[in-house]
Amino acid sequence: MTAPTGWPTAGVFVQGGSLQSGGSLDALARRIPGLKADRFEELLEALNSTGMRAGCRIPLVIDGLNEAERPLEWRRLLAELVPALGDYPYVLVIVTLREAHADQLLPVGTARLDLEWQQAEVVEILKVYFREYKINPSDAWLPTVAFGSPLFVRMYCEATNPKRQTPVGAEALPQSLVSVFELYLEGVAERLAFDPARIHVPADQIKRRLADLARRMWTHQVRRLPSDTAREILDAGQPNWDESLFRRLVEEGVLIRQETKGFDDTECAFAFDRLAGYLIADSLLVRMTYTSVSEQLAEPDLWKRLLGKQAHSLGEDVTIGLIGLLPRRFTKRHLWRAAPAEHRDFALTCELATESGFLDDETVTALEALIGTRRAGTPGHRHVFDRLWEVRRSARHRLNAVFLDRVLRRIPLAQRDVYWTEWVRSQAPGVLTTALERAVSRWDGGAGRVESDDLDALAISWLLASTDTVLRDLATKALQRYGRPEPKRLFDLAARMLDVDDPYIVERLVGAAFGAASTHQMPDPAGAFEPALRDWLAQLHGRFLEGGSTPTSHEQLRGYVRSTFEFAGALHPFAVPDGINACALRFAAAEPANVMADDDPHAAECDRTMGMDFENYVIGAAINGRGNYDYTHPDFRQARAEVRARVWELGWRSEEFSSLDEGIAMSAERPYSSSRKVERYGKKYSWVAYHETVGRLADAGRAPAPFGEPERLMPDIDPGFPDKPPAAPVPLPPWASVESRDHQTWVTSGSVAVPDHLWSPKEIHGVDGGWLLAEGYLAHEQDGRTVFGFFRTLLLAPEDAKRAQQFAAEQEYPGNDFFPSLPKTRGVLATEMPWSSRFDPAFAPVSAASPQPEMRRHWQDPEGIGFNQVAVEFSSDSESESALGGSYDVPSFEFAARFGLRQLPGTLDLVGLDGRRASAVFSVDKPWRGNLLFLRRDLVEIFAAGRRIMQVAWGEREVAVDWHAPPPWVRAAQRAHTNVWRHVRLLESAGPPSP
């Protein structure tokens, strides 16, 4: 049998609530819209045939059994259906229902799956509800763990803005579950009391009746009551169903009705268990007095009913209610103090959800101690750090980032990694990444900083402990953006964290502080920046330099310290402490390193943290004169022994970390695993130890020199986090546009124009007066055709200009060498542009002896023409996802120094001391590729100092062919260089260029 026309072949969806009392499966089949079936068996046969042809099982979904008029009738129908399914192997029957009905309705042996809302679904639900209720939460705390229940989402919105007449913001949001329930029930009672269509029942009376209903559930040890009993309590003798308060509370969604086994009556319960717990707790407390409350709450019988083995089914909910209500009803009273020893930690941990105004000093202190011992645990699957992260930015909350900071400082590094840093890893792809992206956006967009920003930055600084490299880089960027407008705030935060025992945190904070400081390159003779910088340098001096209190050999950290002093020495010399040579720092001598020999009982355990590649390619590469895979080299053996010992000192132990590290490694190896790079904890400790070993080598005059000269140990980020250059604002030439001619003709003679607005635009970034395209590369692709081209600016002696122009025009194939490439910067950060001498190619010993670049017809041509350039090629060495990526041409050190140029914060562009932009770097959008550097024409002419300015552009036309067997005409064009195009023009010192 095949499915009739119009029947779905991907499955059939049936609404369980469509089954009326006394119905059958055949009757249900006849009621399915769009299907022509008299018997349920016909539906099964059709689905089975379809599945057989498709080679898969076809689902038959019966949704929402609990919504049927008589849900228990489904028990009989499903029992009839189960034996028949054996004849239909290609049909899969799926039913959905509330958990409370599962035992009553599902046949024995049914495979059960408890479904939870995914975070993305919860977010979508919240968007819809908040839009409907006109709620703008901004960055306020939300009880996200409870939002997994759509019933609670509606309850929360009703509590926040029940009338929905005007929008509300964070100021209207309830701060705890207790406040949600109070506001919600207040709104329900008021709404029902003043219903014009029904008899008036005072709001206070409605609340009392609900309390009586809740207390009846408590005293009778049940979570549901017969509906008749509930009506007696709520309706107080009112026989009219239309006027029934019970009915109205069901319609409001406060109560739900459920079928009982005997069909004679229904049972009712509160729609949300936490609400029932709140009402029961309130009914218990209302009968207590100030003098007796502590004694009554300590009664063993009460705790047996709350959390004991024979606890009430709502016992945990009542406990949560008591914890939230007690300090509201009885000032400074808290349930954890009355709790027996076995339940005290639980009750204390639940105080995390208490509103800040009701937390007293003793409770806060006890929480700090409890969380520090890692014994804290909250109901469900929620982690204590979920809550602390939620309230971190609240200046008025007693458990904000200052509290989090105190908690984390109590825990030693290794234990903190297992506890806090593991939580960070679990939350990194979602909650924390989103929070950091919002922080970057917020701090990028505004200059003002307030106390909530300071608290957020303090919490974010603890994320720097993470082994999730993407998150760690993003946290560093967020901190740099936080400190950019007011570096003193970040300096003060970094100074506060210098004594933290995790080198990952200290190193990145000092780096972020340098990145923030480096954006203040303009003179600041009477401003706030130089005094703040001076204080920060004094902090670094007092900690790390000669005579410092906390010496370190951590070379990456020391590199950031050097850069900070070099920056101050170059641009803000008055900020450098007296007696310090900013360009030749002398670090305090660190204690001699401990070593762990090969035969140490812990050696094998520590070696597993590194691995062969780390030993050979990382530690081994730091040892001068060592051959690859030479494990006998004495300096290598010494360095490895130092790394081992330091890993052990930091706290790595197999029993704590091996299973975690194995899980991280296995996750990284899965084919479809996240692209996020997450390090093992053993690798984290190994990196710390390695950087400290490199510093000791440098102090001993044996700094790593794999290329013959001691090299700077480059950091793994650029701490200034410059933004990728924007897309070019000038129209780009559509070089590869398809013309009427064929490919062969186009390759040899297609037009490749460089318009004047690209050569020399009149205005860029609002700065007019004329600009020049100094350097760049541009490629255009379209419909199988590609044109690429290079742009270069040369400064020539006047007597060489015409001859150089002729050289450039007549050279058959400029290739990559006719115009020598730009000098390349090495070992330099974008953050150090343009003030650092590292941007001067002469800084590198290899480049110091390099002759002036020359144009030659061929490499043996004795009559080369020398010229000067205005740019260098900058390439970021960082592999961070926050790095620029790729290389860009930027103004040369000499050019920038000539005009006292400074970097525009967050960019590769430079400005003059007058604040007027001097250079502009751009990327391009598809279908173009490349980047462009423009310089102000007046500056280029001044810099030329009588030399002639020559702009050149050259490149090739290409077509997409099979390069294993290209057409002969393609090879011919390449051999004859007829696919090459070029433009050369000489500029006068002023006026239009000569032809």
Side-chain angles (χ1 to χ4, degrees):
M1 176 178 178
T2 60
T5 303
W7 282 37
T9 57
V12 173
F13 186 89
V14 181
Q15 188 63 44
S18 62
L19 183 68
Q20 296 179 340
S21 179
S24 64
L25 290 175
D26 290 340
L28 180 64
R30 290 191 291 270
R31 292 175 56 84
I32 299 176
L35 299 181
K36 298 179 180 179
D38 293 326
R39 295 180 302 112
F40 199 77
E41 188 178 357
E42 293 179 9
L43 173 62
L44 295 176
E45 290 176 350
L47 293 176
N48 193 67
S49 298
T50 303
M52 187 182 301
R53 292 195 304 274
C56 63
R57 301 179 76 181
I58 303 297
L60 169 60
V61 182
I62 306 174
D63 184 52
L65 300 190
N66 50 279
E67 296 177 5
E69 182 181 2
R70 294 285 182 182
L72 285 178
E73 292 194 14
W74 274 106
R75 181 172 56 186
R76 171 181 56 83
L77 298 175
L78 293 177
E80 295 174 359
L81 177 60
V82 168
L85 289 177
D87 297 329
Y88 306 102
Y90 291 92
V91 178
L92 175 67
V93 176
I94 301 172
V95 299
T96 68
L97 70 166
R98 286 187 179 174
E99 183 181 2
H101 293 79
D103 292 336
Q104 298 179 14
L105 302 185
L106 297 180
V108 176
T110 301
R112 293 172 58 167
L113 177 64
D114 295 328
L115 300 179
E116 296 182 1
W117 292 97
Q118 298 299 314
Q119 185 62 31
E121 296 171 310
V122 172
V123 170
E124 191 59 33
I125 290 172
L126 289 179
K127 286 181 180 178
V128 173
Y129 268 88
F130 283 179
R131 184 169 58 247
E132 178 68 21
Y133 279 82
K134 299 182 179 179
I135 298 171
N136 178 18
S138 186
D139 289 328
W141 171 79
L142 295 172
T144 52
V145 69
F147 284 149
S149 167
L151 287 173
F152 180 76
V153 174
R154 184 182 64 83
M155 190 180 297
Y156 184 87
C157 293
E158 287 282 354
T160 303
N161 193 16
K163 296 183 179 180
R164 295 181 254 182
Q165 294 177 348
T166 57
V168 298
E171 75 289 343
L173 300 179
Q175 296 301 302
S176 67
L177 286 180
V178 167
S179 57
V180 171
F181 296 147
E182 285 188 338
L183 291 171
Y184 171 70
L185 291 174
E186 186 73 32
V188 169
E190 290 292 324
R191 189 160 53 250
L192 297 184
F194 294 99
D195 184 349
R198 291 184 169 94
I199 295 174
H200 175 64
V201 180
D204 287 345
Q205 199 172 119
I206 294 174
K207 294 179 186 176
R208 283 197 299 272
R209 295 180 188 179
L210 279 171
D212 291 342
L213 182 67
R215 186 163 182 81
R216 177 70 69 89
M217 292 179 177
W218 176 254
T219 57
H220 285 67
Q221 198 77 3
V222 295
R223 68 191 305 154
R224 294 185 297 271
L225 287 172
S227 295
D228 288 345
T229 303
R231 282 200 63 186
E232 290 175 5
I233 297 171
L234 295 171
D235 290 342
Q238 170 58 257
N240 189 342
W241 178 247
D242 290 334
E243 299 293 344
S244 169
L245 178 61
F246 171 78
R247 174 185 176 182
R248 292 155 69 184
L249 288 168
V250 171
E251 291 172 349
E252 281 283 338
V254 178
L255 301 175
I256 58 173
R257 297 174 68 190
Q258 298 174 338
E259 292 287 342
T260 61
K261 296 181 178 180
F263 304 106
D264 295 329
D265 189 12
T266 59
E267 291 180 329
C268 82
F270 287 97
F272 195 60
D273 285 346
R274 286 285 192 262
L275 175 61
Y278 160 82
L279 287 167
I280 293 172
D282 197 28
S283 72
L284 293 174
L285 291 176
V286 78
R287 289 169 168 77
M288 299 181 188
T289 65
Y290 270 94
T291 57
S292 67
V293 63
S294 296
E295 181 180 349
Q296 289 182 270
L297 290 176
E299 291 179 357
D301 287 344
L302 173 65
W303 285 96
K304 288 178 181 178
R305 299 187 66 189
L306 290 175
L307 298 174
K309 293 181 179 179
Q310 287 80 41
H312 192 287
S313 56
L314 293 171
E316 185 179 287
D317 303 292
V318 177
T319 305
I320 301 300
L322 287 171
I323 290 168
L325 279 170
L326 184 57
R328 287 170 170 264
R329 301 291 188 263
F330 300 91
T331 306
K332 296 185 179 180
R333 304 293 179 94
H334 289 271
L335 188 65
W336 67 273
R337 295 193 187 102
E342 65 268 25
H343 299 309
R344 186 165 298 159
D345 286 354
F346 173 81
L348 179 57
T349 306
C350 291
E351 294 282 2
L352 288 167
T354 299
E355 293 168 84
S356 181
F358 295 105
L359 291 171
D360 58 14
D361 292 344
E362 185 182 359
T363 300
V364 172
T365 301
L367 274 171
E368 181 183 332
L370 178 67
I371 298 172
T373 61
R374 300 165 55 188
R375 296 199 316 270
T378 54
H381 304 288
R382 204 162 193 237
H383 199 290
V384 294
F385 290 131
D386 292 343
R387 173 61 171 167
L388 296 183
W389 184 258
E390 288 171 348
V391 299
R392 71 194 185 282
R393 298 182 63 237
S394 176
R396 294 179 295 177
H397 205 292
R398 302 196 63 179
L399 304 182
N400 61 22
V402 176
F403 176 84
L404 175 65
D405 177 70
R406 292 202 308 267
V407 166
L408 295 177
R409 285 175 182 271
R410 295 174 66 108
I411 311 172
L413 168 60
Q415 294 180 27
R416 189 171 57 241
D417 274 344
V418 173
Y419 189 25
W420 159 259
T421 313
E422 265 301 280
W423 175 83
V424 171
R425 183 168 73 93
S426 70
Q427 298 299 314
V431 172
L432 296 180
T433 295
T434 300
L436 290 174
E437 289 172 344
R438 288 177 177 172
V440 170
S441 177
R442 183 172 65 251
W443 289 332
D444 258 339
R449 298 289 182 264
V450 295
E451 188 176 359
S452 62
D453 294 311
D454 299 335
L455 291 167
D456 206 6
L458 175 58
I460 289 172
S461 67
W462 283 101
L463 299 182
L464 298 176
S466 179
T467 59
D468 185 310
T469 59
V470 175
L471 185 84
R472 188 167 181 248
D473 293 349
L474 188 56
T476 312
K477 179 178 181 179
L479 290 168
Q480 191 269 347
R481 292 298 198 262
Y482 157 75
R484 199 159 68 175
E486 300 178 54
K488 184 180 187 309
R489 290 180 180 266
L490 184 53
F491 294 161
D492 290 346
L493 171 60
R496 173 179 181 169
M497 302 292 287
L498 287 178
D499 60 352
V500 170
D501 61 353
D502 189 337
Y504 259 37
I505 294 176
V506 177
E507 169 243 315
R508 279 299 180 92
L509 268 169
V510 175
F514 165 56
S518 69
T519 63
H520 290 257
Q521 298 189 10
M522 300 297 278
D524 182 52
F529 174 67
E530 283 193 357
L533 179 59
R534 185 178 181 87
D535 291 344
W536 174 232
L537 295 180
Q539 286 277 355
L540 295 176
H541 178 204
R543 291 277 185 167
F544 305 123
L545 300 189
E546 197 168 41
S549 61
T550 53
T552 180
S553 64
H554 194 292
E555 186 61 20
Q556 193 147 279
L557 169 59
R558 299 200 306 191
Y560 288 133
V561 174
R562 288 191 194 94
S563 295
T564 306
F565 273 91
E566 289 170 2
F567 165 78
L571 302 182
H572 301 283
F574 292 108
V576 180
D578 298 338
I580 299 295
N581 183 346
C583 296
L585 299 184
R586 299 180 64 180
F587 285 92
E591 291 291 327
N594 292 324
V595 296
M596 183 181 288
D598 293 349
D599 58 356
D600 189 282
H602 304 301
E605 186 174 352
C606 291
D607 284 346
R608 286 197 295 272
T609 67
M610 294 180 277
M612 184 177 67
D613 285 352
F614 190 88
E615 288 186 5
N616 182 62
Y617 296 112
V618 178
I619 299 176
I623 307 303
N624 297 327
R626 171 191 178 266
N628 202 24
Y629 293 107
D630 180 2
Y631 294 105
T632 62
H633 193 288
D635 288 345
F636 167 78
R637 292 171 63 84
Q638 173 71 19
R640 184 175 60 182
E642 292 178 6
V643 170
R644 277 197 206 112
R646 183 59 170 144
V647 167
W648 189 260
E649 289 172 2
L650 289 170
W652 198 93
R653 300 292 185 271
S654 179
E655 62 266 27
E656 288 280 357
F657 288 104
S658 60
S659 61
L660 291 176
D661 279 358
E662 288 171 7
I664 293 171
M666 290 176 61
S667 178
E669 293 171 359
R670 293 190 186 110
Y672 302 104
S673 65
S674 167
S675 60
R676 303 178 74 93
K677 181 181 177 182
V678 180
E679 294 175 335
R680 296 176 290 104
Y681 289 99
K683 182 63 73 67
K684 171 182 176 176
Y685 297 169
S686 297
W687 275 120
V688 170
Y690 163 78
H691 285 129
E692 292 174 351
T693 297
V694 169
R696 287 189 293 270
L697 290 172
D699 291 344
R702 303 199 307 273
F707 301 106
E709 292 288 340
E711 291 216 342
R712 178 190 195 185
L713 179 64
M714 287 295 291
D716 48 4
I717 56 166
D718 192 314
F721 294 98
D723 294 324
K724 181 182 178 182
V730 297
L732 299 178
W735 286 337
S737 296
V738 176
E739 302 171 355
S740 57
R741 65 186 67 190
D742 60 89
H743 279 348
Q744 182 174 353
T745 306
W746 176 82
V747 164
T748 57
S749 59
S751 173
V752 180
V754 181
D756 286 343
H757 68 255
L758 183 59
W759 275 123
S760 51
K762 295 180 179 179
E763 178 268 334
I764 289 178
H765 287 311
V767 178
D768 55 16
W771 292 72
L772 293 178
L773 175 55
E775 302 290 335
Y777 169 78
L778 196 62
H780 182 234
E781 299 179 11
Q782 185 173 332
D783 297 329
R785 295 181 177 182
T786 301
V787 179
F788 68 84
F790 300 91
F791 299 90
R792 187 66 46 85
T793 295
L794 295 76
L795 304 182
L796 299 152
E799 62 272 18
D800 292 332
K802 287 295 184 181
R803 189 162 63 98
Q805 184 179 28
Q806 183 179 0
F807 264 32
E810 293 177 353
Q811 183 68 14
E812 185 178 38
Y813 180 63
N816 298 323
D817 301 320
F818 179 71
F819 299 106
S821 58
L822 289 178
K824 293 180 175 62
T825 61
R826 286 182 58 193
V828 64
L829 304 168
T831 312
E832 297 170 324
M833 185 178 73
W835 54 267
S836 174
S837 58
R838 291 186 180 88
F839 256 97
D840 184 356
F843 179 83
V846 174
S847 302
S850 299
Q852 180 186 28
E854 293 182 333
M855 286 189 296
R856 298 176 181 272
R857 289 188 176 91
H858 49 79
W859 68 276
Q860 292 180 322
D861 185 358
E863 299 182 2
I865 301 174
F867 61 90
N868 297 99
Q869 296 165 301
V870 294
V872 294
E873 180 184 338
F874 167 73
S875 179
S876 173
D877 293 326
S878 171
E879 297 181 358
S880 165
E881 291 191 14
S882 300
L884 284 170
S887 61
Y888 294 89
D889 300 333
V890 296
S892 67
F893 177 84
E894 184 183 5
F895 186 90
R898 171 66 178 80
F899 302 105
L901 302 183
R902 301 289 185 263
Q903 189 180 59
L904 192 66
T907 73
L908 296 179
D909 298 348
L910 304 183
V911 297
L913 294 177
D914 59 357
R916 193 162 178 248
R917 194 183 295 255
S919 68
V921 179
F922 295 105
S923 59
V924 296
D925 291 332
K926 290 183 178 181
W928 287 270
R929 291 182 288 109
N931 56 82
L932 306 169
L933 168 65
F934 291 90
L935 298 176
R936 271 195 3 231
R937 179 166 181 158
D938 62 323
L939 299 183
V940 177
E941 291 176 346
I942 294 171
F943 184 75
R947 290 169 290 187
R948 296 294 301 278
I949 303 170
M950 186 168 79
Q951 287 180 296
V952 296
W954 79 98
E956 300 180 30
R957 292 175 290 264
E958 297 178 338
V959 292
V961 297
D962 180 2
W963 289 104
H964 294 288
W969 59 265
V970 170
R971 291 296 191 199
Q974 291 175 332
R975 285 193 294 269
H977 306 302
T978 55
N979 65 323
V980 173
W981 64 270
R982 82 194 75 202
H983 296 283
V984 183
R985 67 182 206 164
L986 278 173
L987 274 65
E988 302 294 342
S989 296
S994 62

